[in-house]
Amino acid sequence: MFYDISLYICLAIFIIGLIYKISTWLSRKTTLETKDIPTSKRLSSAIKGIVLTILSVKVLTLIKVFFLDIILQRKVFNEDFFRWLTHILIYVAFMLLLLMHALDKFITAPLFADYSATLNPFLFLRDLFGALVIIGICMAIYRRFILNPPRLKTNPMDTYAIIILAIIMASGIILEGTKIGSYSIYKEMVTDYAGLEEGEEEYKALTAFWVDKFGTVAPGLKAPFKDEIIEEGKELHEMSCSSCHSRPQWAFTGYIVASLFKGAALGLDKAGVHTILWYIHFLACFIGMAYLPFSKFLHIITSPLSLLANSVMDKGESDPANIATRQALEFDACTHCGACTSRCSMGIIIEEIENVNILPSEKIQSLKGVVSKKEIGEKDFKLILDGVYLCSNCHRCTDVCPAGINLEDLWFNMREDMFQKDYPEFSLLSPLSFYRGLMRESISQEDYKRPLIQAREAIASKCDLMKTPDKVVSLTPSDREFQDSLLLSDQASTFQGCFGCQTCTNACPVVASYENPKEVLGMLPHQIMYTAGLGIRDLAFGSNMLWDCLTCYQCQEQCPQGVHVTDVLYELKNLAIKNVYKD
Amino acid sequence: MKFALFLGCNIPARLTQYESSSRAVLEKLSVELIDIKEFNCCGYPLRNIDFKASILAAARNLALAEKEGLNMIVLCKCGFGMLKHADHLMKEDQSLLEEINNTLKKEDLEFKGDIEISHLLSVLYHDVGLDNIKEKITRPYKDLKIATHYGCHALRPSEIVKFDDPVNPTLFDKLVALTGAESIDWEKRLDCCGAPLFGSNDDLSMDLTEKKLSNARQSGADFLCNACSYCHIQFDTVQGMINSKGSENHPLPPILYPQLLGLSLGIDGETLGLGENKIDITGIKGFLSG
């Protein structure tokens, strides 16, 4: 009764959760162009897309992906054998347990006429699968908590997943162990199947046999027994019990537990511990199921979907509505396994730039908050945006993602989407923007240019002097702190040698590109070197010249005074960005 | 001859033909390449933002190659420049070195500074040698005029990168010439391709690219040859964007050096990824003899 009620409640939560999740996949917006497409249109596009794909030759791709990437986990295999083994153990063995053991009423029993949980091969297989899951869990714990590879982050969801699995498995095995030794279950069984009651001679013989061979712990009965009694018990056993019972040693994990608990078995049985464990076991399973749509276990459903969808969808070809839907789904397909982060080209810089959002595995979690319209403060939002932009677009995260998530596209779309909030992003003013430039035709002119202008303006707005070009600059109150920070850097400190000969400016191809360079660029290279020498920060930071420097090193190569002009410009850019972040 | 191959970010993602053509050519010339999967960003795109982060990224790559005891071959010039720079600075500045090594220690890595960092072209020129390459050339070009583009970050700052004479370099010209092609003299051959600003100031970037290309065209070039991922994408993809905006100029197709060399070594166009270039370069086969 309680079992049924809790099952149905949890099943209902599971189904409602799933429906809720599906609705978010159809409503969350990741791409600018699909901002205005309503959910109903996305649903119909999705159905149409799925039907058309299944009816086309693309179905062959789907089948291939299903076997290689979903069943065999090819991507994980290629990346890291240890992780592949861990995952394959947990997922294959758990699936088999689910089908053979948990759903035995619906699957195993109808398939095998003489099925009984206590009969081989089922008895042995249940324990084998259980043991494999346990080994997998131990390997996962080992990797996350002991091996702890650099930059692999473990969040509460990861811990929850391991814990709930561990509870299900441990309670199941201990339950089995206590049942093997349980005298009360034994007594009931004998009444039911042999029609014998305590006190009868035959009862004693059968019990002796079970104590001797089946691990039963009965009060007042201890090996060794006389051979005749065992013989008699064996006959009775073969008559009434053996059709359903293989030797419990086959249930090796449970049997080990039973052996360990042998001394306490009678007490445990009286206290009804096996009943308590039974409750723990099935409730843990039900809770795991109810919570599945909200936990990382949802990836059991979403990762295959993501792999399948990505194998047949192409940017530019597929319906944009479906791309938006796929991207919304991808947030739930992430298992936070860390494969992307371990291969991230930028991962290492987190040691210098403290922002976890640089790491793709963390970035996707934060972005999930952004698309689900969670309240995110300005500071956090900027950090996420910075993290998303600190990416060299090397595509490695996407190549290795075992869930097939097109992370690079996701970053690209989310970046553009986040720019709509009009917070300046300074990394735009670096070669990291090269990829964005190559993709410019997929963004509207206006959306493409605005963030670039904003970033420059945000820096310039911190430089009051630049706004009033006619103002006479007093030369005395120079910014010592600024000058010192430049002097700290070996390469930049050379600016002190500048005597303003203009060789750098004359060598500069950027200066040469303009008829009236001062108007466009603000200060020219030699002037910047000179102001740096005077410690006038504002003028140096506010010049467009800084951000329009090609870093071609013509100036530095030609400087007669050995001033590292390009390196000083680099240093000034770093300082300017630090300066705006400071406020 | 064995090197750790450093590809960087652009090549595997957007310029796979540079990798495949380099591998094919180097294999033919008996240069063995070792892949180090753990390599990360070279650090170059980060220099504008955070100097230390860029050095750290570069240093990790160097330390990884060092751990394998391998010298590095770099295909991209910006990556080459950055790695050389980091190598140089860490050898100069003890405190920087200590700081970086402290971080690398967490991954059991250490920068000691005892490996060489070479660009593809330097390996071909110095390690393989012009004569050895020449011997293997089976189909030299005839009547082919090439505008050879050096690329800034390989040439300058010369005291750090030590690639060639920064004012009058000849290394690349000789490599081009040995294929039978003529490496023409042109005014803007040492100028920047414009790529560093593409994405942050496209107008200026494209303007520089266009000026450079038209100078090459006017000087009579049939193709522009380069050996850098940024330069190539700029001359290929970005030139495509410039031309589609209605520039009167006909395209000047850019070819990667290993593609140019590979054809004359008798390697087929498919292996060299000729078809992957955005601007069609298959016409170059017409200049091959034999």
Side-chain angles (χ1 to χ4, degrees):
Chain A
M1 183 64 178
F2 177 73
Y3 178 91
D4 286 338
I5 292 175
S6 47
L7 173 62
Y8 288 124
I9 291 177
C10 291
L11 201 59
I13 299 176
F14 170 75
I15 291 171
I16 293 168
L18 211 54
I19 293 172
Y20 164 73
K21 280 290 170 180
I22 294 173
S23 75
T24 63
W25 302 338
L26 292 168
S27 60
R28 283 179 184 162
K29 295 162 180 74
T30 56
T31 56
L32 277 180
E33 47 178 340
T34 54
K35 234 176 6 198
D36 306 318
I37 302 181
T39 301
S40 54
K41 169 81 183 37
R42 289 206 3 205
L43 179 62
S44 60
S45 296
I47 294 172
K48 197 173 131 206
I50 293 170
V51 172
L52 286 180
T53 310
I54 292 176
L55 295 178
S56 72
V57 286
K58 282 185 178 168
V59 77
L60 297 175
T61 315
L62 292 180
I63 293 171
K64 193 176 124 201
V65 166
F66 182 79
F67 283 104
L68 290 179
D69 291 322
I70 298 175
I71 303 284
L72 295 178
Q73 304 271 306
R74 174 177 52 173
K75 285 190 168 194
V76 192
F77 184 83
N78 290 339
E79 201 51 30
D80 181 344
F81 179 74
F82 184 85
R83 263 188 44 219
W84 177 80
L85 192 62
T86 307
H87 188 251
I88 257 322
L89 282 176
I90 297 180
Y91 116 94
V92 172
F94 195 84
M95 277 297 159
L96 289 170
L97 265 185
L98 182 76
L99 299 175
M100 188 198 81
H101 165 61
L103 300 174
D104 58 357
K105 260 194 234 136
F106 310 100
I107 295 173
T108 334
L111 279 179
F112 303 94
D114 52 354
Y115 168 76
S116 173
T118 45
L119 204 57
N120 270 338
F122 312 104
L123 181 67
F124 171 68
L125 286 180
R126 183 172 73 183
D127 272 57
L128 178 68
F129 299 155
L132 294 180
V133 177
I134 299 264
I135 295 173
I137 295 175
C138 292
M139 286 167 73
I141 292 174
Y142 172 75
R143 180 176 89 101
R144 278 214 181 255
F145 302 102
I146 299 171
L147 204 60
N148 197 10
R151 298 179 284 286
L152 173 71
K153 307 274 176 205
T154 296
N155 66 23
M157 261 301 164
D158 306 322
T159 318
Y160 159 80
I162 292 180
I163 288 177
I164 192 93
L165 259 188
I167 292 179
I168 292 174
M169 299 312 302
S171 61
I173 289 171
I174 303 174
L175 170 64
E176 189 178 45
T178 50
K179 273 167 81 178
I180 289 173
S182 163
Y183 184 63
S184 60
I185 302 181
Y186 170 80
K187 213 163 74 178
E188 246 174 64
M189 278 275 155
V190 177
T191 317
D192 287 356
Y193 293 111
L196 299 171
E197 292 300 330
E198 243 175 321
E200 295 178 32
E201 272 310 307
E202 287 183 315
Y203 182 93
K204 263 194 199 146
L206 182 59
T207 312
F209 180 77
W210 270 70
V211 169
D212 199 42
K213 299 278 191 285
F214 278 71
T216 307
V217 179
L221 268 182
K222 272 224 168 77
F225 301 101
K226 285 201 195 100
D227 285 350
E228 311 91 79
I229 294 191
I230 296 290
E231 235 3 84
E232 192 191 347
K234 188 177 176 197
E235 257 168 48
L236 286 164
H237 168 76
E238 272 160 10
M239 242 157 55
S240 322
C241 321
S242 70
S243 61
C244 293
H245 280 281
S246 299
R247 293 279 293 272
Q249 283 82 344
W250 285 105
F252 58 97
T253 55
Y255 193 75
I256 293 171
V257 174
S259 311
L260 289 175
F261 288 173
K262 210 159 195 148
L266 284 173
L268 291 175
D269 190 41
K270 274 219 182 71
V273 169
H274 62 83
T275 318
I276 299 171
L277 283 164
W278 159 237
Y279 276 96
I280 296 179
H281 187 60
F282 78 74
L283 281 176
C285 293
F286 293 170
I287 290 170
M289 172 178 70
Y291 196 57
L292 186 139
F294 312 97
S295 72
K296 81 182 225 179
F297 283 120
L298 185 61
H299 82 269
I300 299 171
I301 299 165
T302 46
S303 297
L305 286 177
S306 157
L307 279 162
L308 293 170
N310 273 300
S311 71
V312 291
M313 286 172 80
D314 281 310
K315 199 175 178 152
E317 260 177 55
S318 305
D319 186 341
N322 284 341
I323 291 199
T325 303
R326 187 198 75 208
Q327 291 196 321
L329 170 124
E330 285 173 342
F331 284 112
D332 287 325
C334 170
T335 65
H336 199 243
C337 70
C340 47
T341 289
S342 75
R343 295 281 278 128
C344 176
S345 288
M346 285 287 167
I348 181 70
I349 67 167
I350 192 169
E351 303 283 349
E352 281 297 332
I353 304 175
E354 263 180 70
N355 183 351
V356 288
N357 298 300
I358 293 169
L359 306 177
S361 58
E362 310 312 302
K363 195 163 7 213
I364 190 169
Q365 306 287 329
S366 301
L367 290 176
K368 194 171 171 175
V370 174
V371 283
S372 60
K373 298 268 168 343
K374 222 164 67 184
E375 277 305 317
I376 297 175
E378 182 178 329
K379 202 173 144 226
D380 286 332
F381 190 91
K382 283 179 171 169
L383 270 177
I384 299 172
L385 180 57
D386 281 345
V388 188
Y389 213 82
L390 284 169
C391 162
S392 66
N393 303 289
C394 69
H395 213 271
R396 293 206 312 213
C397 51
T398 308
D399 292 338
V400 298
C401 177
I405 305 173
N406 192 331
L407 292 161
E408 183 154 299
D409 261 5
L410 198 61
W411 310 147
F412 185 80
N413 289 337
M414 288 303 294
R415 256 174 234 148
E416 296 306 316
D417 188 54
M418 290 176 83
F419 284 145
Q420 298 291 315
K421 280 237 172 158
D422 293 339
Y423 293 127
E425 169 52 48
F426 305 106
S427 304
L428 270 162
L429 304 175
S430 76
L432 289 176
S433 287
F434 192 63
Y435 179 70
R436 185 169 186 262
L438 297 175
M439 300 290 288
R440 59 178 289 170
E441 269 143 27
S442 67
I443 317 166
S444 78
Q445 278 273 347
E446 144 75 10
D447 286 330
Y448 179 70
K449 290 229 162 107
R450 203 183 49 236
L452 288 166
I453 298 169
Q454 275 164 354
R456 281 189 196 229
E457 279 177 353
I459 292 170
S461 72
K462 292 266 181 296
C463 309
D464 295 329
L465 284 174
M466 280 310 279
K467 286 185 237 158
T468 48
D470 296 332
K471 192 169 153 191
V472 179
V473 182
S474 92
L475 289 179
T476 24
S478 63
D479 186 340
R480 291 287 330 167
E481 199 192 325
F482 164 68
Q483 221 174 5
D484 290 348
S485 62
L486 273 180
L487 282 170
L488 274 181
S489 138
D490 253 358
Q491 30 174 2
S493 60
T494 54
F495 67 86
Q496 284 183 311
C498 174
F499 55 65
C501 70
Q502 303 198 27
T503 306
C504 50
T505 296
N506 293 333
C508 178
V510 172
V511 174
S513 298
Y514 296 106
E515 287 207 355
N516 192 349
K518 269 195 78 97
E519 199 174 287
V520 190
L521 299 171
M523 306 194 77
L524 305 181
H526 73 281
Q527 293 169 315
I528 295 183
M529 292 309 110
Y530 211 63
T531 40
L534 294 173
I536 308 171
R537 199 183 69 167
D538 270 15
L539 285 176
F541 286 178
S543 295
N544 268 329
M545 183 65 233
L546 214 51
W547 310 107
D548 286 337
C549 166
L550 282 163
T551 71
C552 72
Y553 279 100
Q554 291 276 19
C555 47
Q556 184 159 330
E557 193 69 43
Q558 297 185 25
C559 176
Q561 283 294 91
V563 178
H564 290 185
V565 185
T566 314
D567 292 335
V568 174
L569 293 177
Y570 265 131
E571 193 74 21
L572 287 170
K573 284 181 264 194
N574 284 192
L575 285 172
I577 289 177
K578 286 213 176 79
N579 183 44
V580 273
Y581 273 124
K582 212 164 56 194
D583 309 320
Chain B
M1 226 179 297
K2 209 155 122 183
F3 290 90
L5 175 65
F6 184 82
L7 292 169
C9 297
N10 274 325
I11 295 170
R14 287 171 278 286
L15 201 61
T16 45
Q17 70 267 40
Y18 196 10
E19 178 180 352
S20 57
S21 56
S22 299
R23 282 188 194 275
V25 162
L26 291 169
E27 195 191 308
K28 193 125 207 169
L29 300 171
S30 313
V31 177
E32 193 185 339
L33 298 175
I34 306 292
D35 292 296
I36 298 181
K37 196 166 101 165
E38 289 79 15
F39 276 151
N40 48 250
C41 167
C42 64
Y44 160 69
L46 292 164
R47 268 193 86 186
N48 269 10
I49 304 160
D50 191 306
F51 168 73
K52 282 251 189 63
S54 74
I55 296 287
L56 177 64
R60 183 166 178 273
N61 295 319
L62 299 175
L64 281 165
E66 221 167 84
K67 196 174 177 183
E68 303 294 321
L70 290 169
N71 289 332
M72 244 169 158
I73 182 170
V74 188
L75 303 189
C76 170
K77 294 219 166 125
C78 303
F80 167 73
M82 181 67 219
L83 294 170
K84 285 293 263 188
H85 229 100
D87 183 66
H88 170 84
L89 289 173
M90 284 187 294
K91 283 173 182 164
E92 294 262 290
D93 181 343
Q94 190 61 31
S95 71
L96 177 70
L97 175 72
E98 268 166 33
E99 209 183 323
I100 297 288
N101 271 339
N102 252 334
T103 311
L104 292 178
K105 210 163 58 193
K106 295 186 200 167
E107 290 181 59
D108 274 334
L109 291 172
E110 191 191 354
F111 172 85
K112 294 197 211 78
D114 40 46
I115 59 158
E116 298 277 342
I117 305 142
S118 306
H119 185 264
L120 168 70
L121 298 181
S122 331
V123 170
L124 292 174
Y125 188 92
H126 297 291
D127 300 83
V128 181
L130 296 181
D131 293 337
N132 285 331
I133 304 175
K134 214 161 191 168
E135 257 172 37
K136 297 222 163 60
I137 288 189
T138 51
R139 304 188 68 190
Y141 294 98
K142 254 208 182 116
D143 305 325
L144 173 63
K145 287 190 166 148
I146 295 284
T148 306
H149 166 80
Y150 270 86
C152 304
H153 294 142
L155 279 182
R156 297 178 293 263
S158 56
E159 54 171 27
I160 291 175
V161 290
K162 301 196 173 76
F163 177 80
D164 199 355
D165 178 349
V167 183
N168 191 17
T170 53
L171 183 153
F172 199 179
D173 296 280
K174 287 183 195 159
L175 283 168
V176 168
L178 72 81
T179 66
E182 181 195 344
S183 180
I184 60 162
D185 193 22
W186 54 307
E187 190 199 328
K188 287 190 179 293
R189 66 187 198 120
L190 304 186
D191 281 14
C192 175
C193 65
L197 290 180
F198 193 67
S200 58
N201 188 346
D202 294 2
D203 294 338
L204 178 56
S205 161
M206 287 165 145
D207 183 46
L208 291 161
T209 311
E210 193 170 2
K211 278 187 190 143
K212 178 144 186 162
L213 286 167
S214 53
N215 178 246
R217 252 182 237 115
Q218 275 157 19
S219 312
D222 301 310
F223 290 84
L224 178 143
C225 186
N226 69 86
C228 168
S229 60
Y230 276 101
C231 302
H232 186 80
I233 296 173
Q234 186 77 8
F235 289 130
D236 197 16
T237 313
V238 178
Q239 184 187 177
M241 291 181 181
I242 298 172
N243 293 349
S244 72
K245 272 194 197 152
S247 148
E248 302 103 65
N249 290 316
H250 61 90
L252 177 66
I255 185 166
L256 287 156
Y257 182 68
Q259 293 180 320
L260 181 84
L261 176 62
L263 285 172
S264 68
L265 289 170
I267 302 170
D268 65 288
E270 200 171 326
T271 310
L272 300 169
L274 299 192
E276 316 264 319
N277 284 29
K278 299 276 183 303
I279 297 178
D280 182 27
I281 53 164
T282 47
I284 200 152
K285 288 186 187 161
F287 292 92
L288 287 166
S289 60

